[in-house]
């Protein structure tokens, strides 16, 4: 298996694509649709002794442009099927209804979060200005949890891990160390993947993501290959650390409300993260929302009032119960 490093100055920084050589050369993820990333990808394939036309399958971990952007043009050149989870298939395919549905939720949420006019204009311009990075339309083959996709000299098992994105899926395979997985942005080695802002279609985003972390911990993969940065040697341990991080963040959200009084998602975000720019204007209040929404569902916080403000009902909840941190086996 070859790791291909791709530039990405737009979103979280460098991206990884992966090539599984063998009987059915397969590419995992495809990078943003820019000239420099196009070049990175071709050079990476070339270094492994392959060209785009050799690809017989392309699998995508999720719909974000830094993972799916080049898929359409790679498909046009190679004829390879592009596999992505059914929940993300519509957006990757460029289906207008799917894209409109996402946009509608986005606009509604931006209002609910009370993002002020100036940052709202900035983030909207950012998102609209980067629409082209999504690249060409893709003829998608949707997959579901548990499906197996022939890839390289073996197969990839689809492991659905929603949260950061609705369709986010890992692809498990027999690697050098045992059962390993390409995990996209389900877990990352350094940052905590954004939840709540990265895919507004996800219902109960924090709870959904925590369930995925528990599942990852339970699978106890020998190694994970993320969408950004270096491989993760103990994915279960990393899932545990990220869950722990969310528990601490939940505590902070409760203390912000306790300190400030009823507050909207934008205000909570400002207390947590300070001033935000570009895509973070989406991710900051999104993350605050994910936690507030979870606290509402658990009865710790009242549903937002007419001004979008959340009021704390219980200043001393049982955080262990609110945010489960998975046990790990090692
Ligand atoms: Zn992502
Ligand atoms: Zn990413």
């Amino acid at each position: 298996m070859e790791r291909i490093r791709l530039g990405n100055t737009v979103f979280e920084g460098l991206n990884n694509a992966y090539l599984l050589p063998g009987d059915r050369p397969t590419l995992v993820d495809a990078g943003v649709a820019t000239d420099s990333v196009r070049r990175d990808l071709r050079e990476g394939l070339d270094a492994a002794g392959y060209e785009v036309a050799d690809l017989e399958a392309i699998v995508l971990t999720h719909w974000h442009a830094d993972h799916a952007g080049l898929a359409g043009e790679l498909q046009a050149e190679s004829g390879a099927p592009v596999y992505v989870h059914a929940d993300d298939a519509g957006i990757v395919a460029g289906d207008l209804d799917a894209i409109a549905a996402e946009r509608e939720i986005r606009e509604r949420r931006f209002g609910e979060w009370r993002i002020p006019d100036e940052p709202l204009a900035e983030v909207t311009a950012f998102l609209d200005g980067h629409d082209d990075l999504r690249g060409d339309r893709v003829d998608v083959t949707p997959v579901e949890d548990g499906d197996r996709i022939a890839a390289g000299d073996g197969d990839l098992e689809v492991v659905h891990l929603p949260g950061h994105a609705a369709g986010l899926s890992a692809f498990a395979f027999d690697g050098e160390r045992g059962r390993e997985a390409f995990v996209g942005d389900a877990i990352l080695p350094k940052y905590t993947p954004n939840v709540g802002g990265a895919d507004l279609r996800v219902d109960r985003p924090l709870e959904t993501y925590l369930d995925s972390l528990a599942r990852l911990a339970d699978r106890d993969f020998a190694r994970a290959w993320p969408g950004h940065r270096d491989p993760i040697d103990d994915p279960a341990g990393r899932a545990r650390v990220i869950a722990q991080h969310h528990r601490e963040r939940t505590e902070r959200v409760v203390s912000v409300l306790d300190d400030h009084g009823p507050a909207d998602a934008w205000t909570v975000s400002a207390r947590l993260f300070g001033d935000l720019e570009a895509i973070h204007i989406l991710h900051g209040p999104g993350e605050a929302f994910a936690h507030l929404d979870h606290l509402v569902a658990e009865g710790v916080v009242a549903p937002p009032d007419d001004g979008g403000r959340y009021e704390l009902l219980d200043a001393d909840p049982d955080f262990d119960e609110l945010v489960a941190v998975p046990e790990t086996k090692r």
Side-chain angles (χ1 to χ4, degrees):
M1 189 263 290
E2 304 285 340
R3 173 182 172 193
I4 301 173
R5 293 170 200 236
L6 305 175
N8 167 11
T9 52
V10 187
F11 300 107
E12 297 107 324
L14 300 176
N15 274 90
N16 298 314
Y18 299 96
L19 173 71
L20 286 163
D23 281 350
R24 195 180 193 219
T26 299
L27 186 73
V28 180
D29 279 347
V32 282
T34 63
D35 282 339
S36 72
V37 173
R38 224 169 249 131
R39 210 161 39 235
D40 292 343
L41 187 64
R42 280 168 198 281
E43 283 172 10
L45 288 173
D46 188 55
Y50 286 81
E51 46 188 82
V52 172
D54 297 328
L55 294 175
E56 291 190 25
I58 298 166
V59 302
L60 303 177
T61 57
H62 61 303
W63 63 272
H64 288 157
D66 55 326
H67 300 260
L70 286 170
E73 59 185 78
L74 295 175
Q75 178 175 55
E77 194 172 334
S78 64
V82 174
Y83 302 93
V84 64
H85 189 275
D87 290 348
D88 284 5
I91 294 182
V92 173
D95 177 73
L96 294 178
D97 288 344
I99 290 168
E102 193 271 337
R103 194 164 281 238
E104 199 183 302
I105 299 171
R106 187 203 291 174
E107 278 161 18
R108 176 159 51 81
R109 289 268 190 256
F110 282 3
E112 288 168 356
W113 298 344
R114 298 301 194 269
I115 301 182
D117 289 346
E118 207 175 302
L120 182 64
E122 184 185 338
V123 73
T124 304
F126 180 90
L127 293 168
D128 292 346
H130 290 105
D131 259 2
D132 55 329
L133 299 177
R134 275 201 196 143
D136 298 346
R137 294 176 73 103
V138 181
D139 183 5
V140 172
T141 305
V143 292
E144 301 271 2
D145 186 67
D147 284 356
R148 302 240 172 196
I149 302 163
D153 290 321
D155 65 13
L156 293 173
E157 172 202 353
V158 180
V159 182
H160 188 205
L161 300 169
H164 172 76
L168 201 150
S169 295
F171 300 101
F173 63 101
D174 289 325
E176 276 171 21
R177 296 190 186 168
R179 203 69 181 151
E180 302 185 19
F182 302 108
V183 295
D185 296 350
I187 51 170
L188 296 171
K190 189 165 176 219
Y191 297 113
T192 303
N194 181 266
V195 175
D199 188 340
L200 297 159
R201 304 170 305 148
V202 179
D203 222 24
R204 299 287 321 272
L206 183 59
E207 186 185 45
T208 301
Y209 182 56
L210 292 170
D211 287 348
S212 290
L213 289 178
R215 187 160 189 224
L216 256 177
D218 187 55
R219 288 295 301 256
D220 198 18
F221 291 114
R223 185 160 48 173
W225 300 87
H228 305 266
R229 296 176 180 266
D230 294 331
I232 299 167
D233 287 327
D234 177 10
R238 183 65 193 147
R240 187 182 160 78
V241 167
I242 292 173
Q244 187 75 44
H245 173 91
H246 279 294
R247 180 184 293 178
E248 284 158 21
R249 185 159 284 170
T250 296
E251 289 179 30
R252 286 187 63 203
V253 169
V254 167
S255 87
V256 165
L257 292 180
D258 194 25
D259 179 52
H260 179 281
D264 58 39
W266 178 256
T267 303
V268 172
S269 165
R271 289 284 183 116
L272 293 176
F273 309 115
D275 282 343
L276 300 170
E277 287 179 358
I279 192 74
H280 301 287
I281 297 170
L282 167 60
H283 288 174
E287 185 86 28
F289 165 73
H291 283 265
L292 290 164
D293 171 69
H294 184 57
L295 290 166
V296 169
E298 297 295 326
V300 176
V301 163
D305 65 14
D306 291 347
R309 287 176 299 256
Y310 293 84
E311 185 182 359
L312 189 61
L313 300 174
D314 176 3
D316 187 26
D318 182 347
F319 291 102
D320 291 347
E321 212 164 274
L322 279 177
V323 180
V325 174
E327 295 297 322
T328 53
K329 295 162 191 166
R330 296 189 207 181

